Amino acid sequence: MIRLGAGRPDRIVAVGAHCDDIAIGAGGTLLAMCLARPGLRVDALVLSGGGSEREQEEQAALAAFCPAADLRLTVHKLPDGRLPAHWEEAKAAVEELRARTEPDLVLAPRTDDAHQDHRGLAKLIPTAFRDHLVLGYEIVKWDGDLGRLAAYQPLSPEIAEQKVRLLQEHYPSQRHRPWYDREAFLGLARIRGIECHERYAEAFAVTKLTLNLGG
């Protein structure tokens, strides 16, 4: 298996349509990167949940998922499930994020995610971050939209377990959901790990990737 790295990133952008999207889709990757590189700057943007208990959950959760990082989180108040009707506000939020950072990596939803909010945000990202490596994370849901992904971040058993623990600890508002449990999160990580010859992993979609194999 060929492993291509993006060097040692100094700045990351992580975006989600809802509070908990980033942690579910890329929480293990954030943990691994922030533990390996203290002081890493993480600019996080969430489009909904602002001013509610969910924003408080997100603040505490991302602080835990990004230990020793320079975390800068913005949570907006777009209504859940209505992003297509608030396209201009969403686009303005993404453009404002782009204006304040030059990231080495962008973590965002997949463009083929079945949830309209996730999909809408994913389609906005390339309009602002045109020359950046964008990894599209996956979120398990009843829609059954999990697919065949191209990029993998292996997770140690310790990181995988810590991700599940933090998800359960920091998002009490979501515990009632039938899919929000240890088996779902760890099970998907185990499957993605099998696909890349590791114990656990998070998988990502890549729509465009520029290589520098001769440099």
Side-chain angles (χ1 to χ4, degrees):
M1 176 177 293
I2 298 175
R3 295 174 182 261
L4 300 175
R8 292 177 62 83
D10 294 312
R11 296 184 176 215
I12 301 173
V13 158
V15 299
H18 317 100
C19 297
D20 79 15
D21 284 356
I22 295 170
I24 292 173
T29 297
L30 284 173
L31 269 172
M33 295 182 73
C34 292
L35 288 171
R37 193 166 178 78
L40 183 71
R41 176 167 163 176
V42 180
D43 286 276
L45 169 69
V46 179
L47 294 182
S48 64
S52 71
E53 66 170 347
R54 301 224 57 201
E55 179 177 4
Q56 298 173 18
E57 290 179 344
E58 189 76 341
Q59 290 277 2
L62 289 190
F65 274 102
C66 302
D70 178 10
L71 174 64
R72 307 179 188 196
L73 170 64
T74 302
V75 182
H76 286 272
K77 298 181 178 181
L78 273 64
D80 187 355
R82 298 290 186 271
L83 188 147
H86 295 265
W87 188 258
E88 291 298 328
E89 296 167 70
K91 184 172 178 60
V94 171
E95 293 287 354
E96 192 278 330
L97 172 65
R98 174 67 182 94
R100 69 172 185 262
T101 186
E102 183 64 52
D104 302 301
L105 171 66
V106 180
L107 300 171
R110 295 158 39 229
T111 55
D112 56 353
D113 192 297
H115 194 296
Q116 68 273 14
D117 290 357
H118 301 172
R119 189 170 61 252
L121 175 56
K123 291 179 178 179
L124 278 172
I125 294 304
T127 69
F129 296 92
R130 293 181 174 272
D131 299 309
H132 302 79
L133 175 60
V134 179
L135 298 181
Y137 57 73
E138 59 182 346
I139 296 178
V140 63
K141 62 180 79 67
W142 73 271
D143 306 79
D145 63 352
L146 297 179
R148 188 173 183 177
L149 302 185
Y152 297 85
Q153 171 59 48
L155 305 177
S156 68
E158 293 77 16
I159 291 291
E161 290 283 358
Q162 187 176 0
K163 172 184 175 176
V164 173
R165 178 178 60 79
L166 292 177
L167 284 172
Q168 293 289 350
E169 177 182 341
H170 287 289
Y171 296 104
S173 67
Q174 303 304 297
R175 291 176 190 155
H176 69 283
R177 299 186 182 278
W179 54 269
Y180 197 92
D181 59 32
R182 170 186 168 82
E183 289 179 298
F185 298 133
L186 209 56
L188 179 57
R190 180 69 186 108
I191 291 171
R192 296 313 191 190
I194 290 171
E195 294 173 351
C196 66
H197 294 169
E198 299 285 348
R199 183 65 185 175
Y200 298 106
E202 287 177 339
F204 300 90
V206 182
T207 53
K208 187 179 291 188
L209 177 64
T210 300
L211 303 178
N212 183 20
L213 300 180

